[in-house]
């Protein structure tokens, strides 16, 4: 089976469109169709159903899509191992992250790496803590970077940073520019928080229960951008580490007010890998750079809280 055909099919399976797959592969749609036709002839089965909305995988196509994804990842790891033998830091690194660590932690580290090692490429996907664990286990991700990753025997924490939560709001909010707040001060104001699968929501639920508070959960969303948009509109208060709103605070769009000590558990940012995968030189290099970024994290964002 030709690797090009397998790669083309994998791209079509991800895009659910021959045209979009061709654009991503930088080839003509007819070239993609020819490769798919060759696969169908070789396997003796129809792999795709053409519809007005794009393409749909047949049962045989579903089987091949699962295998193709794993096979292509294995080939990438093999290529990385061969590059390791030659002392070359090259290849693709797949990273699964929490949305809140991207702007201030992940992107500066990856930008510096790519500048130093131009042959490195990165796949970055956003997921919850549970999703990060699953992609590490499945081999779809080489590195996980997320808040409150649940402990698992087969997942190794390379580095961890502890961050305080802040009350985040619009500059004209009644609570803005207060020196420090307790959860009781926020109790009567609408909150925007993620659902119960997220560590910060679990911490808030425990704290509210212990203090017998009735927090006003007005908006439940796992989208950090939606939370920040609601806060900018003055519609909600958020409970987040500074790293997640550093740019908005620096620009004067949001204000972060410290919580009194012990009001809410610290959030933990974990840098992890799967125990049973041997990381390539590219992955090890990326891990080292991200570990450095975690060590520097607290000092870089503390000054963004208002004085």
């Amino acid at each position: 089976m030709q690797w090009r055909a397998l790669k083309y099919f994998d791209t079509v399976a991800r895009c659910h469109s021959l045209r979009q797959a061709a654009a991503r592969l930088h080839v003509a749609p007819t070239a993609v169709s020819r490769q798919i036709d060759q696969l169908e002839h070789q396997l003796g089965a129809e792999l795709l159903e053409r519809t007005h909305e794009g393409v749909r995988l047949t049962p045989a196509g579903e089987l091949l899509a699962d295998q193709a994804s794993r096979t292509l990842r294995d080939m990438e790891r093999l290529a990385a191992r061969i590059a390791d033998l030659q002392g070359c830091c090259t290849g693709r690194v797949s990273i699964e992250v929490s949305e809140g660590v991207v702007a201030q932690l992940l992107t500066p580290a990856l930008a510096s790496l790519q500048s130093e090692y131009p042959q490195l490429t990165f796949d970055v996907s956003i997921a919850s803590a549970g999703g990060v664990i699953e992609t590490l286990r499945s081999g779809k991700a080489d590195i996980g970077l997320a808040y409150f990753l649940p402990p698992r025997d087969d997942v190794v924490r390379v580095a961890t940073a502890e961050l305080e939560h802040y009350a985040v709001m619009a500059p004209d909010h009644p609570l803005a520019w207060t020196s420090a707040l307790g959860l009781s001060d926020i109790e009567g104001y609408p909150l925007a928080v993620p659902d119960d699968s997220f560590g910060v929501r679990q911490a808030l639920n425990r704290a509210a229960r212990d203090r017998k508070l009735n927090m006003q959960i007005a908006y439940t969303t796992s989208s950090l951008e939606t939370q920040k948009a609601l806060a900018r509109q003055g519609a909600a208060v958020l409970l987040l580490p500074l790293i997640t709103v550093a740019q908005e605070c620096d620009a004067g769009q949001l204000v972060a007010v410290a919580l009194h000590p012990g009001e809410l558990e610290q959030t933990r940012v974990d840098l992890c890998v799967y125990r049973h995968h041997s990381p390539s030189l590219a992955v090890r290099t990326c891990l080292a750079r991200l570990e450095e970024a975690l060590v520097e994290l607290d000092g870089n964002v503390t000054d963004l809280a208002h004085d």
Side-chain angles (χ1 to χ4, degrees):
M1 186 177 296
Q2 294 184 355
W3 297 118
R4 178 184 297 177
L6 204 59
K7 181 179 180 180
Y8 282 20
F9 174 78
D10 179 68
T11 307
V12 172
R14 294 175 186 275
C15 295
H16 298 285
S17 165
L18 288 169
R19 189 172 297 279
Q20 289 181 23
R24 185 173 298 184
L25 292 164
H26 305 291
V27 298
T30 53
V32 177
S33 293
R34 282 197 301 270
Q35 295 294 332
I36 302 300
D37 290 343
Q38 289 178 15
L39 278 177
E40 290 180 330
H41 176 74
Q42 185 175 358
L43 295 172
E46 187 178 7
L47 301 173
L48 301 175
E49 294 178 0
R50 274 72 168 177
T51 70
H52 293 299
E53 299 176 352
V55 296
R56 182 170 55 240
L57 296 178
T58 65
E62 294 280 0
L63 287 174
L64 181 59
D66 182 60
Q67 181 61 53
S69 178
R70 286 183 280 127
T71 298
L72 290 170
R73 285 198 303 272
D74 288 342
M75 288 301 297
E76 287 173 354
R77 290 193 174 98
L78 176 60
R81 294 290 180 275
I82 293 172
D84 287 358
L85 293 175
Q86 300 171 336
C88 300
C89 190
T90 185
R92 181 171 67 103
V93 180
S94 297
I95 309 171
E96 201 85 3
V97 300
S98 293
E99 187 178 7
V101 303
V102 171
Q104 290 296 312
L105 196 157
L106 183 67
T107 52
L110 296 190
S112 67
L113 276 171
Q114 218 283 322
S115 176
E116 190 172 346
Y117 304 102
Q119 292 179 301
L120 277 182
T121 59
F122 304 94
D123 282 350
V124 179
S125 299
I126 305 299
S128 65
V132 170
I133 294 292
E134 290 308 311
T135 52
L136 286 173
R137 285 174 163 171
S138 68
K140 293 180 180 178
D142 302 305
I143 297 173
L145 183 63
Y147 295 113
F148 284 118
L149 281 175
R152 296 290 186 271
D153 291 340
D154 55 353
V155 174
V156 180
R157 283 189 194 143
V158 177
T160 295
E162 299 281 349
L163 303 175
E164 298 288 349
H165 285 99
Y166 284 70
V168 178
M169 62 205 73
D172 59 353
H173 191 279
L175 296 178
W177 310 106
T178 308
S179 58
L181 293 167
L183 290 179
S184 60
D185 299 318
I186 306 169
E187 183 180 16
Y189 293 94
L191 294 178
V193 294
D195 62 44
D196 291 337
S197 68
F198 285 75
V200 63
R201 178 64 179 276
Q202 295 167 16
L204 176 61
N205 291 346
R206 287 191 294 269
R209 184 173 60 249
D210 292 344
R211 293 166 174 77
K212 297 181 171 55
L213 299 175
N214 182 25
M215 307 307 292
Q216 304 301 309
I217 309 297
Y219 309 94
T220 300
T221 174
S222 60
S223 167
L224 179 61
E225 289 306 313
T226 300
Q227 291 182 44
K228 290 193 285 190
L230 288 166
R232 286 194 297 268
Q233 290 292 322
V237 175
L238 317 179
L239 295 169
L240 295 169
L242 276 177
I243 185 177
T244 61
V245 291
Q247 292 180 342
E248 290 81 4
C249 288
D250 192 42
Q253 298 172 347
L254 292 173
V255 168
V257 181
L259 297 178
H260 293 304
E263 283 292 299
L264 201 59
E265 295 174 34
Q266 289 181 319
T267 188
R268 193 183 69 241
V269 185
D270 293 322
L271 176 65
C272 295
V273 295
Y274 186 57
R275 184 180 298 278
H276 305 298
H277 287 161
S278 298
S280 66
L281 176 60
V283 172
R284 295 197 303 272
T285 303
C286 187
L287 278 171
R289 191 62 54 89
L290 289 172
E291 187 173 2
E292 292 172 5
L294 275 178
V295 171
E296 298 173 359
L297 182 58
D298 289 322
N300 287 344
V301 298
T302 299
D303 292 339
L304 290 168
H306 68 70
D307 297 324

